[in-house]
Structures are given as C-alpha cells and as structure tokens.
Amino acid sequence: MSTASDDLFKIEEMEEAENKQNFVHESDVEQAVAAIFKLTKLSRTENKNRNILSNDVHGNGTISMEIFIKLIPTMKNQKMLNVIVPHPIYSPETTRVCFFVKDQSKRDNDHDMTKAQYKHVFYKAGFTCVSEIIPLHQLRREYKDHELRIKLCNSYDLFMSDSRLMAYMPELLGTIFWQRKKFPRKIRMDEEFMKDDIMKMLNSVTFYMHGRASVYVVHIGTLGQTEKQVGENILAFLNFIRHRILGGWDNVQVINLKTDYSMSIPMYFSAGTGKKIQFNLRENWRNKPVIDEISTTKRIGDRIAVYPDGRVKLIRGKRGTDDSDSDSDFDDEPVKKKRVLKKKAVKRKDAVGEKKAAKTTNAADLKKSVKKTNECK
C-alpha cells in the first residue's frame, strides 16, 4: 500500500519531469487551433443571427485564449501588459480607433477646435484609422450613464488615450471597458514617440493580470487569419509571458482556446500542486512610470509621473532658476530660515519680558504713591 509520503514524492517527481519538458508543444497548439476553426465552420450555419451580435474585429470572430492559474495573487489593481505578436489582429487601414485627447480650447463647449487640431496631427502622421476623437471634457459630460458607456465600448475596436489622461480613465469609463478587454492604451503625444506608440499598440495584444479570479483572457487572433498565423501568435505570446506571469510558469494550470460562441478547446494542462509558487510583483511586473514636465505649479522643475496602473505622482523640483551646480545654495537655504526664525522668537520673548517688567514696575510705583498719600492724610 502506498503512503501519503510516497504520493507526495511521486507528485514532486512529476513536477520536476514537467519542468524539464517544453512548456507548450507546437503540435498541441496546432491541434487546438485546427479544432477551433472546424468548430466555427460547423456553427456558422446554425448561429448566423448570433454572429451579428458578437464582439468581432473587422467582421471576423475573435479567438481568445483562457489561462487558468493555480494560485491567485494578491493585487489591488489590474495590470496591462502589451505583447507584440507576429500577425496583428488590428490593421491601420480597417481598425476603428477611438482616441481620448486633452482639451486644447479653454471653452468647455468648444470641442470642434480640439478635434480639428488632433485630426490634422493624425493625418500628418499617416494614421487614418482614428475614426473618432473625444476630448476629456466631452467624455465627462456626455458619457455619465452606464448605457452610453456600453454603446461607446461596442462602437469601436480599439481605444487609445493621451498618457496624461490615464489617471482619469478608470473613473470616467467604469468597469465595462475592463470587462470587454477594451481599456484605453496610453500613447505619448510627443512627435518623437506618438507614431511609434500607435504602431506598437496596433501590432500587439493586451494581457490583463489581476487578483480577482483564477483565469486570464486575452484576444490572440481572428477567424479571418490562417491557422498558421494564429498558432504563431499563440507561441510568441506564451514565450513572452512565460517569465512575466505572476508566480511564473509553474503557476499556469490550464490553457484553453475558444471563440465568442464556441466551447473551450484544451491546449495545455499541468498536474502540479503549486506549493512552491512565490509571488514577487516587483520582479514580474515592470512598474516603470512615464515622467514628463508640468507647468501648472509654482515650483520650477516640477515633474509628473504616470504609472501603468493609472497612478499619478507629483515629483517636486527645487525652487529658483539656478543650475544644478549650485545645489549647496539650496541645501543651506532652509538652515538660514531656521536661524532667522529662532532669532525672531528670541526677540519676541525679550519684548514680552520687557513689557511684563514695565507693568510690574508701574504697579509698584502706584502702590508706593498710594501709601504716601495715606500717610500724609
């Protein structure tokens, strides 16, 4: 009869043998992709009405990948990880993109001026896929209702936002954009980075990591692509997140493929227990902020840092207009102020003491004069 220790020893041997093997076999990926395409061909004739209501990209069905994990990490916010794939699911010609921009006009109702300026910027850069531009003030006023946000989310394939507005997006858009995997992707609006950032977002898929459930879903391809293209996207994506997923690859238990209205096709399975899994959010997630100058504060040299999760932090600069060579002057300034304050406090104490002494002397003189007048009487 086998004991509990023998069973644990067998499980550890299975985990070591599994780690030595390749994490996902190409043959398993090819079989899963082929099964997905066969299922969609069979179900298209039966579910023609459903395909009209599906959340498709360019009219083709979306192929999603479900990643089930063994242990759920403790995370306060979701993390967005953009992974470049060899065969993008978005194209600059046909993708419908909605862009959230910063208001250029001081008037609250003058949205046409802002839209015209940004249309010229995108046209000059060669991006005709931006079909709608929404300034920040218009987003605040016109999309307060949940139904209007759902309609906005379903109207476009991809959403982008100015990196300076990412801190406002969770509050203004709600949870529907997170649930539909359409949360805006941040774009730096400088001429040096804007074109590269937009092309990077069009050529990548977004992987949402969170601590709310044991499954992650990512859109990895479309039914308009070939089986080979979808398989290459899957392998490239898994190779990229292999060491970046929270808990490492040992934390991955099951990987399935599915479409909007098909059953899940298993592609990978791990029989490990997950006892040796350790979470290190700093190593597995690059939380590097985007730092830019800010001109709305009184201090010179103030900067603002926007983190990938939407947090905003103000980095205080030093007062004055001198160069960095005169750092010692700034270091001595607060010491001088403290000394001046101490001197003022001492002077105030001396003045108060003199006033008290003068009052006591005056009172004593009055008492003496009163005694003398009484003696004379």
Side-chain angles (χ1 to χ4, degrees):
M1 295 178 65
S2 62
T3 60
S5 60
D6 295 336
D7 295 338
L8 290 174
F9 182 73
K10 289 179 182 179
I11 291 172
E12 290 179 357
E13 284 185 346
M14 291 173 62
E15 289 180 354
E16 291 178 359
E18 186 180 359
N19 292 331
K20 290 179 182 179
Q21 296 177 356
N22 190 12
F23 69 112
V24 174
H25 295 286
E26 294 184 9
S27 59
D28 296 336
V29 174
E30 292 175 359
Q31 291 177 5
V33 173
I36 281 291
F37 276 86
K38 287 181 181 179
L39 280 175
T40 52
K41 287 179 182 178
L42 293 173
S43 62
R44 269 179 177 175
T45 56
E46 299 177 357
N47 302 324
K48 288 182 179 180
N49 296 328
R50 286 186 175 183
N51 291 334
I52 297 173
L53 300 175
S54 62
N55 188 15
D56 295 343
V57 180
H58 319 317
N60 303 317
T62 303
I63 299 176
S64 303
M65 186 163 53
E66 298 174 335
I67 302 175
F68 290 86
I69 57 177
K70 301 173 185 177
L71 297 180
I72 302 175
T74 56
M75 297 174 60
K76 295 182 179 179
N77 301 318
Q78 294 191 19
K79 308 294 183 183
M80 295 173 59
L81 188 63
N82 297 311
V83 183
I84 298 177
V85 292
H87 306 285
I89 62 176
Y90 305 108
S91 65
E93 293 80 14
T94 58
T95 304
R96 297 169 298 171
V97 178
C98 179
F99 215 110
F100 301 115
V101 297
K102 190 177 180 181
D103 295 279
Q104 298 294 325
S105 177
K106 294 182 179 179
R107 297 179 181 178
D108 296 338
N109 297 325
D110 192 7
H111 305 313
D112 296 335
M113 175 182 170
T114 302
K115 292 182 179 182
Q117 289 184 2
Y118 280 101
K119 279 184 180 179
H120 177 70
V121 171
F122 293 136
Y123 180 78
K124 187 177 179 181
F127 293 105
T128 58
C129 58
V130 181
S131 55
E132 182 63 25
I133 298 172
I134 300 179
L136 180 63
H137 191 268
Q138 182 182 359
L139 180 64
R140 282 176 173 170
R141 294 189 63 180
E142 299 182 6
Y143 295 95
K144 293 181 179 180
D145 297 336
H146 184 67
E147 295 179 356
L148 294 176
R149 293 176 182 176
I150 294 176
K151 186 177 179 181
L152 176 65
C153 184
N154 295 332
S155 299
Y156 302 97
D157 303 323
L158 189 63
F159 291 87
M160 299 183 184
S161 174
D162 190 340
S163 59
R164 296 170 292 182
L165 306 180
M166 289 300 293
Y168 305 102
M169 292 296 110
E171 181 182 358
L172 296 177
L173 298 178
T175 58
I176 186 64
F177 282 79
W178 285 105
Q179 295 172 0
R180 302 282 177 87
K181 312 301 178 188
K182 286 188 176 183
F183 194 79
R185 307 182 184 185
K186 63 176 181 179
I187 303 296
R188 294 171 291 182
M189 300 305 295
D190 300 335
E191 294 183 1
E192 302 176 0
F193 309 108
M194 185 188 71
K195 190 172 182 179
D196 295 337
D197 287 355
I198 293 177
M199 288 303 300
K200 180 181 177 181
M201 297 305 166
L202 290 174
N203 297 331
S204 62
V205 296
T206 305
F207 179 49
Y208 295 86
M209 289 188 293
H210 54 81
R212 299 177 182 177
S214 60
V215 59
Y216 301 145
V217 180
V218 58
H219 301 314
I220 198 65
T222 63
L223 294 172
Q225 297 175 335
T226 62
E227 295 181 9
K228 185 179 179 181
Q229 290 176 344
V230 176
E232 290 178 356
N233 284 355
I234 293 171
L235 291 173
F237 175 81
L238 293 177
N239 281 318
F240 184 84
I241 68 164
R242 183 178 183 179
H243 302 290
R244 292 172 174 84
I245 193 168
L246 297 176
W249 186 254
D250 295 334
N251 196 25
V252 178
Q253 188 172 20
V254 179
I255 299 178
N256 297 332
L257 281 182
K258 69 182 297 292
T259 59
D260 295 332
Y261 297 101
S262 72
M263 61 184 295
S264 298
I265 303 298
M267 186 175 62
Y268 173 81
F269 175 75
S270 173
T273 58
K275 292 182 179 180
K276 298 180 181 180
I277 296 172
Q278 295 181 357
F279 296 107
N280 193 345
L281 298 179
R282 293 184 178 179
E283 291 182 2
N284 290 282
W285 173 252
R286 298 180 181 179
N287 197 11
K288 295 182 179 179
V290 177
I291 301 175
D292 196 1
E293 295 181 356
I294 186 170
S295 59
T296 57
T297 57
K298 296 181 179 179
R299 287 175 176 264
I300 297 174
D302 284 359
R303 295 178 297 170
I304 188 170
V306 181
Y307 290 84
D309 58 355
R311 292 182 293 112
V312 179
K313 183 179 179 182
L314 182 63
I315 303 174
R316 289 289 185 182
K318 296 179 179 179
R319 295 183 179 179
T321 58
D322 296 338
D323 297 334
S324 60
D325 298 335
S326 60
D327 290 340
S328 60
D329 297 338
F330 293 106
D331 295 335
D332 295 335
E333 185 178 356
V335 178
K336 291 180 180 179
K337 286 184 177 180
K338 287 182 180 180
R339 291 176 181 175
V340 171
L341 290 173
K342 286 182 179 180
K343 289 180 180 179
K344 289 182 178 179
V346 171
K347 289 181 179 179
R348 287 176 183 173
K349 288 181 180 179
D350 295 340
V352 171
E354 289 177 358
K355 287 181 179 179
K356 287 183 178 180
K359 287 181 180 180
T360 54
T361 53
N362 293 331
D365 295 337
L366 288 171
K367 288 181 180 179
K368 289 180 181 179
S369 60
V370 170
K371 287 182 179 180
K372 287 181 180 179
T373 51
N374 292 331
E375 290 175 357
C376 294
K377 290 180 180 179

